[in-house]
Amino acid sequence: MYEDLSPIDTAKRVAATRAVAFVENGMKVGLGTGSTAAWMVKALADKVHDKGLRIVGVATSAQTAKLATEMGLTIVSLNDAKWLDLTIDGADEFDGNLSLIKGGGGALLIEKIVATASDRMIVIADAAKEVNKLGAFPLPVEVIPFGWQTTKTLIEQVLVTLDVLGSEVTLRMSGDTPYVTDEGNHILDLHLRQITNPRQTTTVLNQIPGVVENGLFVDICDAVVIGQGDGTVEMRDISTGKVQSDKMILSDPKNAFSDLGNT
Ligand code: 5RP
């Protein structure tokens, strides 16, 4: 739709821009992590500068904090903000109940803390993220480095008791070494293929010592904005049951970062 943008980036950009319309003057806003969230940070910075809004952001990762600061947004800690009006974040998968898998970008712990500390969470996603049942995307579980192999074994043991189709658990790597989150932890990716009961799965996983948090978001997301490659956006609100569709015409993203797809 936009000369320089692929359909997937157009989808992410329109979803992000539509969600930013819900940010109002004076709000405290949680800023998600990932390539879709990066479009949101850019759209929010444009809106703040164009309209002279006074908002503060709480970033869900060092990566987002850096981008937001470079874009001229004011970033504060969650301790300073205490509670947020709205969080806008991406997702790896969402289902019809707006349960999510998050953490593909490794920021699930802070993302869950920030979204939970918000009156409202809006997820922004391209249409490919919608699934009937969660689980095709490997479920990230953040674990402390101490004894992570034992934690992995304990996870494998409880998976047998859960209604999931797969049981492979892999340590996320960054090159030759284990991936380290902003909090200094590791991530185990659970290849479950299908998660029939996300609520039970999140509860059981979080009871295992060594598990810090998992990437299932249940009853946290209020609405999803789904972008398409042709600029169409659909917003679904779980609390009101309202569904709205628009076609967005956006100006060319002249100096929008060309490498956002890899953010
Ligand atoms: C990071 C996340 C991201 O929101 C999720 O991985 C989606 O990323 P993208 O918008 O790049 O597809 O959960 O921890």
Side-chain angles (χ1 to χ4, degrees), residues 136-191:
F137 191 93
L139 175 65
V141 177
E142 185 155 344
V143 298
I144 66 163
F146 178 85
W148 69 265
Q149 294 185 7
T150 303
T151 307
K152 177 173 178 280
T153 303
L154 290 171
I155 290 173
E156 285 161 349
Q157 284 169 0
V158 300
L159 286 183
V160 178
T161 70
L162 293 172
D163 202 351
V164 294
L165 287 184
S167 57
E168 194 195 353
V169 179
T170 53
L171 178 68
R172 191 176 297 185
M173 301 296 288
S174 174
D176 291 339
T177 52
Y179 176 84
V180 178
T181 68
D182 282 355
E183 279 59 54
N185 296 315
H186 294 330
I187 291 197
L188 296 174
D189 287 306
L190 278 49
H191 303 259

Side-chain angles (χ1 to χ4, degrees), residues 4 23 121 186 238:
D4 300 336
V23 177
M121 180 196 197
H186 294 330
I238 197 86

Side-chain angles (χ1 to χ4, degrees), residues 12-228:
K12 291 176 183 188
R13 185 178 177 223
V14 291
T17 305
R18 182 73 183 85
V20 162
F22 292 90
V23 177
E24 294 170 11
N25 196 30
M27 275 189 168
K28 295 186 266 186
V29 184
L31 307 176
T33 294
S35 57
T36 321
W39 281 111
M40 178 273 296
V41 170
K42 164 84 173 97
L44 182 59
D46 287 349
K47 179 170 176 171
V48 164
H49 298 139
D50 292 352
K51 305 229 181 310
L53 299 188
R54 288 159 53 91
I55 64 130
V56 293
V58 172
T60 53
S61 62
Q63 180 189 46
T64 295
K66 180 171 179 288
L67 177 64
T69 307
E70 282 167 5
M71 296 272 155
L73 293 171
T74 304
I75 296 299
V76 298
S77 69
L78 183 59
N79 279 340
D80 285 339
K82 297 195 171 52
W83 196 260
L84 307 178
D85 298 286
L86 172 65
T87 283
I88 305 174
D89 200 351
D92 299 299
E93 283 184 351
F94 66 92
D95 70 10
N97 297 317
L98 301 196
S99 293
L100 317 171
I101 288 185
K102 284 186 54 55
L108 67 103
L109 172 59
I110 302 302
E111 288 173 334
K112 202 183 265 194
I113 293 171
V114 169
T116 304
S118 305
D119 284 342
R120 201 163 148 72
M121 180 196 197
I122 300 179
V123 157
I124 47 179
D126 57 89
K129 304 284 183 67
E130 180 166 16
V131 294
N132 281 331
K133 293 233 184 259
L134 299 175
F137 191 93
L139 175 65
V141 177
E142 185 155 344
V143 298
I144 66 163
F146 178 85
W148 69 265
Q149 294 185 7
T150 303
T151 307
K152 177 173 178 280
T153 303
L154 290 171
I155 290 173
E156 285 161 349
Q157 284 169 0
V158 300
L159 286 183
V160 178
T161 70
L162 293 172
D163 202 351
V164 294
L165 287 184
S167 57
E168 194 195 353
V169 179
T170 53
L171 178 68
R172 191 176 297 185
M173 301 296 288
S174 174
D176 291 339
T177 52
Y179 176 84
V180 178
T181 68
D182 282 355
E183 279 59 54
N185 296 315
H186 294 330
I187 291 197
L188 296 174
D189 287 306
L190 278 49
H191 303 259
L192 305 180
R193 289 168 31 219
Q194 185 174 298
I195 302 169
T196 305
N197 190 337
R199 191 182 306 277
Q200 180 201 35
T201 305
T202 184
T203 305
V204 169
L205 287 172
N206 279 6
Q207 283 169 350
I208 299 171
V211 168
V212 182
E213 191 48 87
N214 74 84
L216 280 168
F217 284 47
V218 179
D219 292 339
I220 295 176
C221 174
D222 299 284
V224 63
V225 182
I226 306 158
Q228 305 270 4

